[in-house]
Amino acid sequence: MSMALQSNKTFSVETPTNEDYGSKYDDDGHLKRTGTWVTASAHIVTAVIGSGVLSLAWAVAQLGWIAGPIILITFSLITLYTSCLLTDCYRFPDRVYGARNENYMKMVNNILGGTQYMLCGFAQYANLVGVSIGYTITASISMVAIKRSNCFHKYGHDAECHSSNYPFMTIFGIVQILLSQIPDFHELSFLSIIAAVMSFSYATIGVGLSIAKISEGHHAETSLTGLRVGVDVTSSQKLWNTFQAIGNMAFAYAFSMVIVEIQDTLRSNPPEHKEMKKASSIGVLITTVFYMLCGCLGYAAFGNKAPGNFLTGFGFYEPYWLVDIGNVFVIIHLVGAYQVFAQPIYLVVENWCKKRWPNSNFMSKEYPVNIPMIGIFRLNLLRSIWRTLFVVLTTVIAIILPFFNSILGLLGAISFWPLTVYFPTEMYLVQAKVPKYSPTWIGLKMLAMFCLLVTLLAGVGSIEGIVMDLKTYKPFK
């Protein structure tokens, strides 16, 4: 099954003129791409600064002042390095003049072959589905936090302000059904820019609230090693929580599964790999600064009792409206981020169906619908039905398994090693023709082995957390 993040274009049987190629088409016959490092940076920030930032205060609390920041910075450097390796593989065999690899799976198939291609498909799409579920959970948590904040303000801090997440997951799902009708990545730039602005905004509010809480003078209890064994947690809980926290930090930098698709939106001049390296550097730098602020200041504000979602921990804070605004920004951001991660899933199914049944009107025909104030909307029956079913499925799963931190840790474990480390390093070794057993070859292999160990530990910790949650959780109640 091949994935292609492109618009559903139909070309005339007539050969385009030279003028057409100069104005409408790239040198490979595809419609001209217009993205720049600015739009790519916006896509990256939208993809990276998502729900992962909200769990960093909790993750630092599990690891402490020493290991927490070190691991966070380590993941940022690994992600940036492997992302740069991946951008060099966008065109193959030559990174400037080679044929384009429009998506991650095509890149793996062209460079590493069929077996690796199947493994990549499983890892990428399992994670994309998981991220969609995780974002549904996170958005509902922020919606509930707004309701609780208003309740505390109205009835006092001792009021019973409990609320179910399920109606809010449903609302989020309905919004996603509507936005999912946007055909492809090339028409998502406006949504990504809005979502990126929201990322900065709510992270800034979270940092500001943390500073305000610290300045109140009620110093939360923290330590160099995080939660204390025998006081805050048992020794086994400390071990599992540590593994899970590492998975949360890995998830916080998870954007490799869409980086190739983002790069495919860039115009061909300047060379895509140079522009994408610039965008990746800017995106990861901005992300790391915000992550360090949110994780460390959030830990300083809440101490060893840091909540899983630190922005929802300010339920008693005044002015309550600022907490509400922060959570509104989270929701708006996740509305856009959901689409960034869901588009590859949508298009792989749609392109396969169109290839399998090329003469079917249901699969390929588009019906123009004039929407007042918006313009002409291209309605496709396959796109409408399939994308609606996908959103419904992810929403139902989110309702059944609303375990925020455990789910984030497991998603990080599933995606970090194969998509962020293994495939980028393996493809780079082939692309750059690195000699076997050379220093570069040995270094990349050691990096892959180290990250595999981290992935296994994070996965085990997160699964244990889900098992513990399932012991006390009753679905739909």
Side-chain angles (χ1 to χ4, degrees):
M1 194 179 294
S2 172
M3 179 177 69
L5 272 177
Q6 306 174 42
S7 300
N8 301 320
K9 309 290 193 306
T10 56
F11 295 94
S12 171
V13 295
E14 298 179 0
T15 303
T17 66
N18 291 334
E19 182 180 353
D20 288 333
Y21 272 117
S23 61
K24 296 181 180 180
Y25 297 96
D26 279 325
D27 54 1
D28 55 5
H30 292 84
L31 286 182
K32 186 178 288 293
R33 296 157 294 144
T34 59
T36 66
W37 65 267
V38 176
T39 59
S41 298
H43 282 312
I44 291 172
V45 172
T46 300
V48 182
I49 304 182
S51 58
V53 70
L54 303 175
S55 69
L56 291 179
W58 177 89
V60 174
Q62 313 309 308
L63 300 169
W65 285 117
I66 298 177
I70 290 176
I71 293 176
L72 197 58
I73 293 175
T74 299
F75 279 133
S76 72
L77 293 176
I78 291 174
T79 301
L80 177 58
Y81 179 66
T82 57
S83 296
C84 289
L85 297 182
L86 199 59
T87 60
D88 282 336
C89 300
Y90 174 67
R91 289 185 179 269
F92 181 80
D94 183 89
R95 65 181 181 177
V96 177
Y97 302 107
R100 284 166 51 194
N101 292 303
E102 295 93 348
N103 55 75
Y104 203 127
M105 285 187 67
K106 181 178 180 180
M107 180 183 289
V108 172
N109 191 34
N110 288 340
I111 300 176
L112 299 180
T115 302
Q116 304 273 42
Y117 166 79
M118 298 301 294
L119 293 175
C120 173
F122 173 79
Q124 184 178 14
Y125 291 114
N127 188 70
L128 289 172
V129 173
V131 169
S132 301
I133 296 169
Y135 282 179
T136 303
I137 296 171
T138 309
S140 71
I141 291 175
S142 290
M143 293 179 191
V144 169
I146 294 173
K147 186 174 182 179
R148 292 181 72 242
S149 176
N150 294 336
C151 176
F152 287 137
H153 176 75
K154 184 176 181 179
Y155 298 107
H157 295 168
D158 296 326
E160 293 291 333
C161 294
H162 300 296
S163 181
S164 172
N165 290 36
Y166 303 143
F168 299 105
M169 291 185 187
T170 303
I171 293 172
F172 185 80
I174 292 172
V175 172
Q176 292 304 331
I177 289 175
L178 297 176
L179 290 178
S180 292
Q181 306 312 311
I182 297 175
D184 58 29
F185 243 130
H186 299 279
E187 299 180 39
L188 280 178
S189 294
F190 77 96
L191 198 59
S192 284
I193 292 173
I194 293 173
V197 172
M198 295 298 101
S199 301
F200 292 126
S201 301
Y202 72 70
T204 301
I205 289 175
V207 169
L209 290 174
S210 297
I211 294 174
K213 188 175 180 64
I214 295 170
S215 65
E216 290 176 353
H218 302 292
H219 298 292
E221 187 173 2
T222 64
S223 70
L224 295 177
T225 58
L227 270 63
R228 297 166 299 171
V229 175
V231 178
D232 302 307
V233 289
T234 64
S235 58
S236 62
Q237 287 175 330
K238 174 71 173 181
L239 180 65
W240 297 125
N241 286 355
T242 297
F243 293 162
Q244 189 175 322
I246 293 173
N248 285 175
M249 289 185 174
F251 175 79
Y253 284 102
F255 78 101
S256 296
M257 73 289 295
V258 293
I259 189 173
V260 181
E261 286 79 1
I262 293 174
Q263 188 170 356
D264 192 52
T265 66
L266 295 174
R267 56 193 180 195
S268 55
N269 187 28
E272 300 95 344
H273 72 282
K274 291 184 177 180
E275 290 291 274
M276 197 61 192
K277 285 180 181 178
K278 183 190 299 184
S280 297
S281 299
I282 293 172
V284 173
L285 176 61
I286 293 172
T287 299
T288 302
V289 171
F290 273 92
Y291 280 6
M292 290 295 291
L293 290 173
C294 291
C296 295
L297 291 177
Y299 181 41
F302 293 104
N304 293 337
K305 295 182 179 180
N309 181 337
F310 93 111
L311 197 55
T312 63
F314 297 101
F316 297 124
Y317 190 80
E318 298 290 347
Y320 76 100
W321 54 266
L322 188 58
V323 180
D324 290 352
I325 291 175
N327 281 296
V328 167
F329 287 163
V330 172
I331 296 165
I332 295 174
H333 171 263
L334 293 178
V335 165
Y338 183 104
Q339 289 301 313
V340 171
F341 282 94
Q343 282 291 331
I345 307 172
Y346 296 155
L347 291 172
V348 69
V349 173
E350 292 163 16
N351 289 332
W352 181 84
C353 289
K354 290 172 184 178
K355 184 177 180 180
R356 178 66 178 80
W357 297 283
N359 299 320
S360 171
N361 288 335
F362 178 82
M363 301 297 176
S364 58
K365 188 173 182 179
E366 294 187 344
Y367 303 89
V369 178
N370 187 14
I371 302 178
M373 307 296 293
I374 296 178
I376 301 296
F377 172 72
R378 307 193 310 271
L379 175 66
N380 174 264
L381 296 179
L382 170 64
R383 182 165 63 233
S384 299
I385 295 174
W386 148 238
R387 296 186 182 194
T388 299
L389 291 175
F390 176 83
V391 174
V392 170
L393 176 63
T394 57
T395 303
V396 170
I397 296 176
I399 290 174
I400 296 174
L401 299 172
F403 310 134
F404 183 74
N405 287 93
S406 298
I407 292 294
L408 288 187
L410 185 58
L411 292 176
I414 292 173
S415 66
F416 180 71
W417 180 73
L419 299 176
T420 303
V421 181
Y422 174 73
F423 288 119
T425 55
E426 289 296 309
M427 287 190 291
Y428 177 79
L429 291 175
V430 175
Q431 168 84 318
K433 300 178 181 178
V434 177
K436 200 171 185 179
Y437 303 117
S438 66
T440 301
W441 187 92
I442 294 174
L444 291 178
K445 291 292 185 179
M446 291 178 64
L447 175 63
M449 291 300 296
F450 167 76
C451 293
L452 175 60
L453 177 61
V454 170
T455 291
L456 293 175
L457 294 178
V460 170
S462 299
I463 291 173
E464 192 276 341
I466 293 174
V467 170
M468 294 300 294
D469 289 334
L470 286 172
K471 290 181 179 179
T472 58
Y473 174 67
K474 296 181 180 180
F476 306 106
K477 292 187 180 180

